[in-house]
Amino acid sequence: MGLISRYKREFVYAVILFIIWEISQVPEIIGVGQVYFFFSFIGLLLVVTWIFTTYFRLSYKKVSDNSDALIKIRNHERFFINFILPLLFYCLVSYFLYVSVNLVLTQLLIILSSMLFFVIFVNIKNSYTKVFTIERDTRTILSFLDIIVFFLAVTLLTYFGDSFAVRVLGVSVAAFILLGHQLLINKQQNWAGFAVLVASTIFLGAVAYFFMDSGSYLFPLVMSILFYLVVALWTVKLSGTSKLSDYLPPLLFALMAFIIVTSF
């Protein structure tokens, strides 16, 4: 409650998004595509409004309390994080809600996405207090968000990809973009990082080809588990650790999740 009272504006925007998504699930609305996309467009305008008003309010900071000189926060490293990723996440969620026929999954996604948008708004707002860096907690949240975006993208590909080539290419492109985002927020824009990015993308594309016939339920889950594993191992490696034991938790968690989802 303390967090909500501190970030009232962000909480109100997140609640409005929740209401828009819930209204859009009314059968009389979702059964008429034009009306559904009208409500989705209203939600998109809401997200765009918050992003740009927050940017113009907070992107300039005083050099000190004793000076009226302003410094502009460096934004090229944050452009994908603060602008593209929230919009991409919103569009994927809205389209997924339109094509999903699972009521339980739909409601869980609405609740989780509304909560995530509140967290996204809070972290973007807080990121403007850091002129040159991205906080570690923000990186963790962005990694979690990248995993969800990847899951939604792969799920939509299973619905609309009408050939193996389209699905494998789509998975590879999504992995390349989101893993590239991970390199960006971890400041690893170098040749070694690019080589690891390409190798990881090829690995995920090859696995996608192997599991392509596993079904619309299993395929997105398996690919998301492997994407999580790649991101988690990258995070451990980039933390500077050299202990093998630090790599075991994500490996074991991914193995447990893989066993669970393939057992159904």
Side-chain angles (χ1 to χ4, degrees), residues 1-8 11 118:
M1 293 302 296
L3 187 67
I4 292 174
S5 63
R6 182 180 177 184
Y7 299 100
K8 293 179 181 177
F11 179 71
F118 175 65

Coordinates of all heavy atoms in Angstrom, one line a residue, residues 1-8 11 118:
M1 N 0.8 -1.2 0.0 CA 0.0 0.0 0.0 C 0.9 1.3 0.0 O 0.5 2.3 -0.6 CB -0.9 0.0 1.2 CG -2.0 -1.1 1.2 SD -3.0 -1.0 -0.3 CE -3.8 0.5 0.0
G2 N 2.0 1.2 0.7 CA 2.9 2.3 0.7 C 3.5 2.6 -0.7 O 3.6 3.7 -1.1
L3 N 3.7 1.5 -1.5 CA 4.2 1.7 -2.9 C 3.1 2.3 -3.7 O 3.4 3.2 -4.6 CB 4.6 0.3 -3.4 CG 5.3 0.3 -4.8 CD1 6.6 1.0 -4.7 CD2 5.4 -1.1 -5.3
I4 N 1.9 1.9 -3.5 CA 0.8 2.4 -4.3 C 0.6 3.9 -4.0 O 0.3 4.7 -4.9 CB -0.5 1.6 -4.0 CG1 -0.4 0.2 -4.6 CG2 -1.7 2.3 -4.6 CD1 -1.5 -0.7 -4.3
S5 N 0.6 4.2 -2.7 CA 0.4 5.6 -2.3 C 1.5 6.5 -2.9 O 1.3 7.7 -3.2 CB 0.3 5.8 -0.8 OG 1.6 5.4 -0.2
R6 N 2.7 6.0 -3.0 CA 3.9 6.7 -3.5 C 3.8 6.9 -5.0 O 4.2 7.9 -5.6 CB 5.2 6.0 -3.2 CG 6.4 6.8 -3.6 CD 7.7 6.0 -3.2 NE 8.9 6.6 -3.6 CZ 10.1 6.1 -3.5 NH1 10.2 4.9 -2.9 NH2 11.2 6.7 -3.9
Y7 N 3.2 5.9 -5.7 CA 3.1 6.0 -7.2 C 1.6 5.9 -7.6 O 1.2 5.0 -8.3 CB 3.9 4.8 -7.8 CG 5.4 4.8 -7.5 CD1 5.9 4.0 -6.5 CD2 6.2 5.7 -8.2 CE1 7.2 4.0 -6.2 CE2 7.6 5.7 -7.9 CZ 8.1 4.9 -6.9 OH 9.4 4.9 -6.6
K8 N 0.9 6.9 -7.1 CA -0.6 6.9 -7.4 C -0.9 7.0 -8.9 O -1.8 6.3 -9.4 CB -1.2 8.1 -6.7 CG -1.2 8.0 -5.2 CD -1.8 9.2 -4.5 CE -1.7 9.1 -3.0 NZ -2.3 10.3 -2.3
F11 N -0.3 3.7 -10.6 CA -1.3 2.7 -10.2 C -2.6 3.0 -10.9 O -3.2 2.0 -11.3 CB -1.5 2.8 -8.6 CG -2.5 1.9 -8.1 CD1 -2.3 0.5 -8.1 CD2 -3.8 2.3 -7.7 CE1 -3.2 -0.4 -7.6 CE2 -4.7 1.5 -7.2 CZ -4.4 0.1 -7.2
F118 N 2.2 -1.9 -13.8 CA 2.5 -1.0 -12.7 C 3.9 -1.0 -12.4 O 4.6 0.0 -12.1 CB 1.6 -1.5 -11.5 CG 1.9 -0.7 -10.2 CD1 1.7 0.7 -10.1 CD2 2.5 -1.3 -9.2 CE1 2.0 1.4 -9.0 CE2 2.8 -0.7 -8.0 CZ 2.5 0.7 -7.9

